[in-house]
Amino acid sequence: MNTWMDMNCRHALRAWNDTNRRAGFPDDDWDPRRAFAYATSNAIEMARIDGNVIDERFFSMMMPFARPWFPDNPDPSVAERIPATFPDDIPCDHRPLGLILTRETAGLLSNASASAGMYEQWRQKLGSEWTVYVDVPHSALTFNTGRPGGNVQIRAILAASWGKDLPAGHVQFAVQLTDMGTETSHGRVGGLLRVDERVSPSDHRSDTWADRSLQPPFAGRALQDRVLARAGTFLRLVLCYYHIGPANVREPVEATPSHRLKGGKPGKGKSLFALTRLRASEHVGRSLTGLASSWSLSERQEVAGHFRLQACGPQRSERRMIWIAGYERGPAGSAIRPKGVTV
């Protein structure tokens, strides 16, 4: 398995040095997650010093994943800095959600259509304090930067319902762009999922929220807007698919214990973090097979929002996932079927 976070953990391990070990890590502790945790704390501190908003928020959203891997009894200087870099908007025992998309799932959702009503479907299930990491397969979401050979891809998306000065009900998210087919960073773009379901390219305090490497002449604002619009829609579809999709689309991915790591790598089919793999499924939406042709409703019913595979393409041989917003069905003017209530 080659998730973006796993790769960065191993990059952090390769950058390990005597200074970091003296700062509180045992000499014999070569778990890349500890190096990743310390490197994340360093990145947040440096971003605050430089005034780099996107980096500070991006690494702050990674901190809930990294926090459990700080040493239990660090050097005093580290013990003082960890609380200073850990976001004060959420408790330290906050448990984030990590999602890995298969190539088939990414293709299914990248071509799906979104509609009104999806926002509440997953917001209610996630609750008020959450952090989500979405690992996007190579070449699933690509963009042309306008430079020769300059296509880039979305490699990871981080999102959180908390954040400094975040308007109530909004969600902040950050997109990691890399060069095509590689883990080489091409910069980051961040924005907001608004309560009204629009995607905002900036927060309410700064004009732009993007990595400096994405500023002209490397790429213009048009690219940032395209990335945000596509990533925002894609993120909403992923979260809705995770909560609303059939049970068989969710496959737990175990985290490899420290003593079973081999060269800093997780076991086969496992990861450095506890994640959930989202698989594609043909069993989405409401199946109408097996119903008698004379079957009809005598009362009105509420139908919850759901995904459906819609026939499309040549001779309707292909399938495109679409989101069907909740609606009522049945004869107009008839009584509404009462819902069962758990007491």
Side-chain angles (χ1 to χ4, degrees):
M1 180 171 298
N2 179 20
T3 70
W4 182 83
M5 279 207 301
D6 283 358
M7 285 295 299
N8 277 270
C9 280
R10 294 200 287 276
H11 289 162
L13 182 59
R14 284 195 288 270
W16 198 264
N17 55 47
D18 291 339
T19 302
N20 289 350
R21 289 201 296 271
R22 285 197 301 270
F25 295 91
D27 288 337
D28 59 350
D29 186 352
W30 290 90
D31 191 319
R33 290 165 291 207
R34 294 196 183 276
F36 177 69
Y38 193 52
T40 300
S41 179
N42 282 339
I44 294 174
E45 186 175 53
M46 292 304 300
R48 289 175 178 171
I49 293 173
D50 295 341
N52 190 328
V53 178
I54 176 61
D55 274 5
E56 179 183 351
R57 297 195 181 185
F58 181 82
F59 288 108
S60 291
M61 283 188 277
M62 290 203 324
M63 187 61 87
F65 294 92
R67 175 64 181 84
W69 299 100
F70 278 107
D72 296 328
N73 299 299
D75 179 90
S77 63
V78 178
E80 292 175 1
R81 200 175 81 221
I82 292 175
T85 55
F86 191 80
D88 55 9
D89 310 81
I90 57 174
C92 287
D93 60 353
H94 172 72
R95 294 180 64 83
L97 171 65
L99 302 174
I100 305 174
L101 307 184
T102 65
R103 190 169 299 279
E104 293 76 17
T105 306
L108 195 65
L109 295 176
S110 65
N111 292 317
S113 64
S115 65
M118 291 184 57
Y119 186 83
E120 290 302 323
Q121 291 283 339
W122 52 265
R123 276 302 299 265
Q124 292 177 2
K125 294 179 180 295
L126 279 172
S128 59
E129 292 182 346
W130 52 268
T131 309
V132 171
Y133 160 74
V134 179
D135 190 87
V136 183
H138 290 287
S139 304
L141 299 174
T142 63
F143 302 87
N144 190 336
T145 64
R147 297 180 295 120
N151 287 0
V152 295
Q153 62 183 9
I154 292 179
R155 187 64 181 89
I157 304 174
L158 283 157
S161 62
W162 49 267
K164 186 186 300 181
D165 302 317
L166 184 67
H170 288 46
V171 172
Q172 64 171 334
F173 73 100
V175 181
Q176 174 66 60
L177 295 172
T178 68
D179 290 334
M180 290 290 294
T182 75
E183 307 295 345
T184 304
S185 175
H186 191 79
R188 305 181 182 101
V189 181
L192 299 176
L193 296 182
R194 302 171 60 90
V195 177
D196 58 11
E197 302 195 15
R198 292 187 296 117
V199 178
S200 173
S202 63
D203 64 17
H204 68 297
R205 297 189 61 183
S206 61
D207 180 50
T208 59
W209 179 12
D211 187 277
R212 293 169 186 167
S213 66
L214 284 175
Q215 300 299 323
F218 302 104
R221 182 62 181 268
L223 173 64
Q224 297 176 28
D225 291 343
R226 291 195 345 256
V227 170
L228 285 181
R230 193 172 186 191
T233 299
F234 185 75
L235 175 61
R236 286 195 295 255
L237 285 163
V238 169
L239 293 176
C240 206
Y241 186 69
Y242 170 76
H243 288 290
I244 309 299
N248 64 352
V249 306
R250 296 177 288 275
E251 177 187 345
V253 178
E254 296 181 11
T256 301
S258 299
H259 67 279
R260 292 188 178 275
L261 293 175
K262 295 183 179 180
K265 296 182 179 180
K268 184 177 180 180
K270 297 184 179 181
S271 174
L272 292 174
F273 301 92
L275 303 169
T276 299
R277 183 183 292 109
L278 287 183
R279 295 194 175 279
S281 174
E282 301 255 343
H283 306 289
V284 294
R286 296 172 46 81
S287 174
L288 299 180
T289 60
L291 294 178
S293 58
S294 60
W295 178 86
S296 64
L297 287 172
S298 60
E299 55 190 0
R300 291 191 67 76
Q301 297 178 352
E302 291 186 5
V303 179
H306 57 277
F307 285 104
R308 186 175 74 190
L309 289 177
Q310 184 181 54
C312 63
Q315 300 181 344
R316 299 174 65 81
S317 60
E318 300 175 357
R319 293 293 182 270
R320 177 172 182 259
M321 181 176 284
I322 62 174
W323 171 255
I324 307 296
Y327 63 94
E328 289 186 355
R329 64 175 184 172
S334 61
I336 298 178
R337 174 182 289 185
K339 291 184 177 180
V341 178
T342 302
V343 179

